[in-house]
């Protein structure tokens, strides 16, 4: 039986470290508040002009490709997950293909926010299992620092996020003790607007909300973005934090158990759980609910913040670099985020 396995993994974190205290110059917050609510001590911010979501993805990809023992020319499909693309369109996949001088291969962008990498991995897994491709590059990368509200008004969102990238190369294997065992994908669009960035977009005040009333006055063809949106801070993400928290602590354990049950395994069989680094309190809640020991869960949100689509590959890469993931060990990747969408992947390294 052919399965897909991670043959190479890489990560890239920008140099600039931004501590909680560094944020005090922009907003009314405190190190104590941020650490207590989220676990975050510091995060990385990309260089303002020299680094983009794509360039960070390229750096992570170079390492993953080298560790897989191949070259960029050997890659035959790209899947790039991000919510902070260089351009509204085209996506980052083609920009990475160009930057890495790859062949004229397929490049797919995935827009599933926090669960983007796990969704992307599941797509790559299907292409490998069916024998369509032999070397798939899966990237998660985010440059959040470019588009958040770093004033007291936006502090409930902006203190959480950081920049960075992670990448893996997926290859086929016939080793029965290795590879992705199964992936599990879910969504519930009922709460799509409680963790979202509405603008720029084509909704054109679909909800008849007062704050978007100016859409009705906008000239035809210019309803996508307006001066009012800038003036009224409507170009920033919106998050109802408590509502996200409540749903996340239910769906995270559910989708992890779904993967374990499907494979006749239990939480005790897990060598390592890599949860999307949304919030340390969410990860601790999940750990407790599943009865996992500290050494069975890997967290690094303390140092990088929430890097959305990049968080799972960054954490997996770091855990592997520290020797915490060994051959044939059981690893579960799980994510929950905007949409809502949530997903898991169970694999043997
Ligand atoms: N510094 C200081 N005070 C703040 C800050 C800040 N950065 N942000 C909010 N506050 C204040 C609020 O104004 C509010 O003050 P008030 O009581 O005077 O009105 C108070 O703190 C409580 O605000 P809440 O939003 O209710 O704070 P909460 O305890 O829920 O914590 C948080 C906010 C951390 C966002 C929490 O809701 C959470 O973790 N939610 C999960 C969402 C999440 O993890 N999102 C990550 C992205 S999505 C994903 O990856 C899954």
């Amino acid at each position: 039986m052919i399965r897909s396995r991670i043959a190479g993994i890489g990560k890239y974190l920008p140099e600039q470290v931004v501590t909680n205290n560094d944020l005090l110059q922009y907003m009314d917050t405190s190190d104590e508040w941020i650490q207590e609510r989220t676990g975050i001590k510091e995060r990385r911010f990309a260089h303002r002009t020299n680094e983009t979501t794509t360039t960070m993805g390229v750096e992570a990809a170079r390492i993953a490709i080298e560790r897989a023992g191949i070259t960029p020319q050997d890659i035959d499909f790209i899947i790039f997950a991000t919510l902070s693309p260089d351009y509204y369109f085209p996506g980052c996949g083609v920009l990475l293909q160009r930057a890495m001088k790859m062949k004229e291969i397929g490049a797919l962008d995935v827009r599933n926010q926090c669960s983007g990498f796990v969704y992307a991995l599941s797509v790559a897994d299907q292409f490998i299992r069916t024998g369509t491709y032999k070397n798939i590059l899966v990237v998660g990368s985010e440059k959040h620092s470019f588009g958040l509200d770093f004033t007291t008004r936006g502090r409930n969102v902006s203190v959480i996020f950081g920049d960075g990238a992670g990448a893996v190369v997926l290859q086929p294997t016939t080793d029965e003790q290795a590879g992705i065992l199964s992936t599990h994908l879910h969504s519930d669009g009922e709460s799509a607007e409680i963790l979202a960035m509405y603008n720029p977009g084509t909704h054109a005040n679909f909800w008849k909300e007062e704050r978007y009333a100016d859409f009705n006055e906008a000239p035809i063809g210019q309803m996508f973005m307006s001066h009012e949106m800038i003036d009224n801070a409507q170009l920033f993400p919106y998050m109802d934090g408590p509502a996200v928290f409540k749903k996340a602590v239910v769906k995270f354990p559910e989708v992890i158990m779904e993967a374990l049950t499907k494979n006749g395994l239990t939480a005790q069989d897990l060598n390592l759980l890599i949860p999307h680094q949304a919030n340390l309190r969410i990860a601790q809640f999940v750990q407790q609910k599943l009865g996992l020991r500290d050494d069975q869960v890997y967290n690094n949100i303390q140092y990088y913040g929430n890097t959305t689509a990049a968080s799972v590959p960054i954490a997996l890469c770091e855990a592997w670099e520290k020797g915490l993931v060994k051959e044939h060990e059981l690893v579960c990747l799980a994510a929950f985020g905007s949409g809502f969408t949530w997903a898991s992947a169970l694999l043997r390294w």
Side-chain angles (χ1 to χ4, degrees), residues 58-74:
V58 167
E59 294 303 322
R62 278 194 208 292
I63 299 168
I65 289 169
E66 196 183 312
R67 285 176 174 166
I70 58 173
T71 72
Q73 283 291 310
D74 298 316

Side-chain angles (χ1 to χ4, degrees), residues 19 21 25 31 36 51 67 81 88 115 124 132 144-145 154 169 179 197 209 214 217 225 240 253 257 269 293-294 336:
T19 66
N21 283 331
Q25 61 187 299
D31 179 45
E36 194 182 301
E51 286 183 314
R67 285 176 174 166
Y88 193 84
S115 66
T132 309
H144 287 305
S145 59
V169 171
M197 184 168 149
E209 285 183 31
D214 57 283
E217 311 301 325
M225 206 190 289
D240 176 346
M257 284 313 298
D269 296 316
R293 301 182 309 273
D294 285 353
F336 175 89

Side-chain angles (χ1 to χ4, degrees), residues 19 38 78 129 154 264 295 343:
T19 66
T38 69
I78 302 161
R129 278 174 192 262
D295 65 290

Side-chain angles (χ1 to χ4, degrees), residues 35-54:
Q35 286 212 46
E36 194 182 301
R37 309 284 175 122
T38 69
I40 299 165
K41 296 173 193 286
E42 58 192 43
R43 74 284 293 139
R44 303 292 181 92
F45 281 180
H47 188 278
R48 278 195 185 204
T49 50
N50 293 346
E51 286 183 314
T52 72
T53 296
T54 300

Side-chain angles (χ1 to χ4, degrees), residues 34-223:
I34 300 172
Q35 286 212 46
E36 194 182 301
R37 309 284 175 122
T38 69
I40 299 165
K41 296 173 193 286
E42 58 192 43
R43 74 284 293 139
R44 303 292 181 92
F45 281 180
H47 188 278
R48 278 195 185 204
T49 50
N50 293 346
E51 286 183 314
T52 72
T53 296
T54 300
T55 68
M56 291 190 288
V58 167
E59 294 303 322
R62 278 194 208 292
I63 299 168
I65 289 169
E66 196 183 312
R67 285 176 174 166
I70 58 173
T71 72
Q73 283 291 310
D74 298 316
I75 296 293
D76 39 26
F77 195 60
I78 302 161
I79 311 182
F80 200 121
T82 187
L83 67 67
S84 50
D86 294 26
Y87 304 136
Y88 193 84
F89 72 84
C92 292
V94 298
L95 304 181
L96 179 139
Q97 181 271 347
R98 177 176 69 186
M100 300 195 79
K101 298 185 172 43
M102 289 170 169
K103 291 181 292 196
E104 293 179 350
I105 54 174
L108 172 70
D109 275 56
V110 168
R111 293 195 47 182
N112 273 62
Q113 296 64 251
C114 303
S115 66
F117 181 81
V118 184
Y119 262 75
L121 196 70
S122 79
V123 175
D125 181 43
Q126 308 307 314
F127 276 125
I128 298 275
R129 278 174 192 262
T130 55
T132 309
Y133 297 122
K134 297 246 177 304
N135 292 298
I136 303 185
L137 176 67
V138 184
V139 181
S141 180
E142 303 285 2
K143 185 176 176 180
H144 287 305
S145 59
F146 220 59
L148 294 176
D149 185 359
F150 286 102
T151 69
T152 300
R153 184 184 51 205
R155 64 184 178 176
N156 71 314
V157 175
S158 54
V159 300
I160 295 176
F161 295 95
D163 301 340
V168 299
V169 171
L170 231 57
Q171 288 179 348
T173 179
T174 50
D175 180 349
E176 290 188 1
Q177 297 303 311
I180 295 177
L181 304 179
S182 62
T183 55
H184 306 269
L185 313 178
H186 294 280
S187 73
D188 175 5
E190 200 55 47
S191 308
E193 284 78 22
I194 76 165
L195 177 48
M197 184 168 149
Y198 311 123
N199 301 308
T202 62
H203 59 84
N205 198 15
F206 186 67
W207 308 290
K208 309 283 181 252
E209 285 183 31
E210 191 54 40
R211 60 192 169 133
Y212 297 119
D214 57 283
F215 271 113
N216 296 324
E217 311 301 325
I220 185 80
Q222 292 177 33
M223 293 180 287

Side-chain angles (χ1 to χ4, degrees), residues 28-30 33-34 37-38 114 155-156 159-161 195 239 241-242 244-245 276 278-279 281-282 306 336-337:
D28 178 14
T29 187
S30 69
W33 192 97
I34 300 172
R37 309 284 175 122
T38 69
C114 303
R155 64 184 178 176
N156 71 314
V159 300
I160 295 176
F161 295 95
L195 177 48
M239 177 175 76
V244 175
F245 196 101
H276 159 54
N279 180 318
R281 288 195 305 151
I282 294 177
N306 178 340
F336 175 89

